[in-house]
């Protein structure tokens, strides 16, 4: 990925000095990415069922809460759409504004998911969308981060642990695999950790629930399967 200059003697117009891009296409790509991030499958699916996703479960408009409130089908649809919108946003950014566009569109689509203007800035925690966006930026980096998240989830049986672990290790992965993206990656990681602050407190208190897919079902005589 080409280096990106922010600021400098010429101010923001220097952004594309190293990429030869057009600042207006860069701005357009960010707007499109942010609006794509506003697409909330969990909110739409819940509304179709007469449910306000923000008032059910954890109140979060993301995959985990969609799974908890509406079941596996809704959870899968939410996950797929959230990932795809991240990838599409980054690809559009690359087509319109090159490497500078795709890098900043990762952050734009992520922010659109976390703070959607169409839903009064009440969105999800952005993990799936961030993964989709990183998949468009650097597939190997995204898949390595996903592997770490999956391992953490399988060990802890808690999605929050996977998300938190992924956020903590991602800047180090970016440092070695996509150095120019490091500072944006740090911002993503910080936002994800802040959005998981309630989960972190519950984990410290030993009150964070296990994901429903890991819960053992009880038989009619009260025994666990």
């Amino acid at each position: 990925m080409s280096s990106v200059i922010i600021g400098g003697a010429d101010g923001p117009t220097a952004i594309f000095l190293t990429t030869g891009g057009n600042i207006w296409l860069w701005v357009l790509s960010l707007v499109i990415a942010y609006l794509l991030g506003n697409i909330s499958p969990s909110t739409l699916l819940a509304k179709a069922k007469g449910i306000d996703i923000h008032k059910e479960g954890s109140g979060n408009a993301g995959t985990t809460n969609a799974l908890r409130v509406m079941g596996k089908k809704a959870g899968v649809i939410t996950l797929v759409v959230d990932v795809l919108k991240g990838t599409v946003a980054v690809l559009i950014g690359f087509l319109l504004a090159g490497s500078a566009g795709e890098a900043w569109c990762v952050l734009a689509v992520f922010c659109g998911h976390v703070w959607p203007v169409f839903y009064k800035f009440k969105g999800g925690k952005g993990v799936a969308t961030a993964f989709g966006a990183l998949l468009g930026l650097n597939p190997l980096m995204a898949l390595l981060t996903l592997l770490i998240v999956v391992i953490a989830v399988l060990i802890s049986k808690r999605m929050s642990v996977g998300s938190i672990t992924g956020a903590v290790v991602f800047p180090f992965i970016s440092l070695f695999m996509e150095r120019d993206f490091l500072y944006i990656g740090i911002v993503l990681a910080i936002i994800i950790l802040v959005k998981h602050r309630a989960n972190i407190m519950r984990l410290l208190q030993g009150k964070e629930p296990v994901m429903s897919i890991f819960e053992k079902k009880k038989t009619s005589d009260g025994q666990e399967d």
Side-chain angles (χ1 to χ4, degrees):
M1 188 173 72
S2 302
S3 59
V4 181
I5 298 176
I6 303 174
D10 298 322
T13 58
I15 286 175
F16 289 124
L17 287 180
T18 56
T19 60
N22 184 308
I23 191 169
W24 297 111
L25 288 178
W26 178 76
V27 172
L28 176 62
S29 69
L30 293 185
V31 172
I32 292 174
Y34 174 79
L35 293 177
L36 281 173
N38 276 234
I39 299 172
S40 178
S42 62
T43 301
L44 296 173
L45 289 170
K47 187 175 181 180
K49 295 176 178 290
I51 301 171
D52 184 348
I53 194 69
H54 298 289
K55 296 181 179 179
E56 301 292 336
S58 66
N60 181 57
T63 300
T64 303
N65 201 39
L67 175 66
R68 181 183 297 117
V69 175
M70 295 180 285
K72 294 181 179 179
K73 183 178 180 180
V76 170
I77 293 174
T78 298
L79 176 63
V80 171
V81 174
D82 281 347
V83 170
L84 284 178
K85 71 185 184 186
T87 304
V88 170
V90 171
L91 293 178
I92 290 175
F94 178 74
L95 291 174
L96 290 178
S99 57
E102 66 175 352
W104 284 96
C105 278
V106 173
L107 183 59
V109 70
F110 173 79
C111 289
H113 177 87
V114 176
W115 298 293
V117 65
F118 294 131
Y119 296 106
K120 300 179 180 180
F121 302 102
K122 296 179 180 179
K125 296 178 180 178
V127 176
T129 299
F131 168 71
L134 293 175
L135 199 59
L137 180 72
N138 185 322
L140 184 58
M141 181 171 67
L143 292 174
L144 178 57
T145 305
L146 176 63
L147 176 62
I148 293 172
V149 170
V150 170
I151 291 173
V153 170
L154 292 177
I155 292 174
S156 67
K157 299 181 180 180
R158 293 166 174 83
M159 186 63 220
S160 60
V161 174
S163 300
I164 293 165
T165 302
V168 170
V169 303
F170 178 72
F172 298 99
I173 294 175
S174 179
L175 178 64
F176 291 102
M177 300 186 69
E178 198 74 42
R179 187 179 293 268
D180 292 334
F181 187 74
L182 177 61
Y183 296 111
I184 297 177
I186 291 173
V187 172
L188 288 177
I190 290 173
I191 294 174
I192 288 176
L193 290 174
V194 170
K195 294 294 289 185
H196 282 81
R197 59 189 182 279
N199 303 89
I200 294 172
M201 289 301 299
R202 288 195 295 269
L203 285 167
L204 292 175
Q205 297 169 357
K207 297 179 180 179
E208 181 74 345
V210 172
M211 288 182 67
S212 59
I213 59 174
F214 292 109
E215 291 178 345
K216 294 182 178 180
K217 296 180 179 179
K218 291 186 177 182
T219 60
S220 57
D221 61 358
Q223 298 297 316
E224 291 184 344
D225 289 337

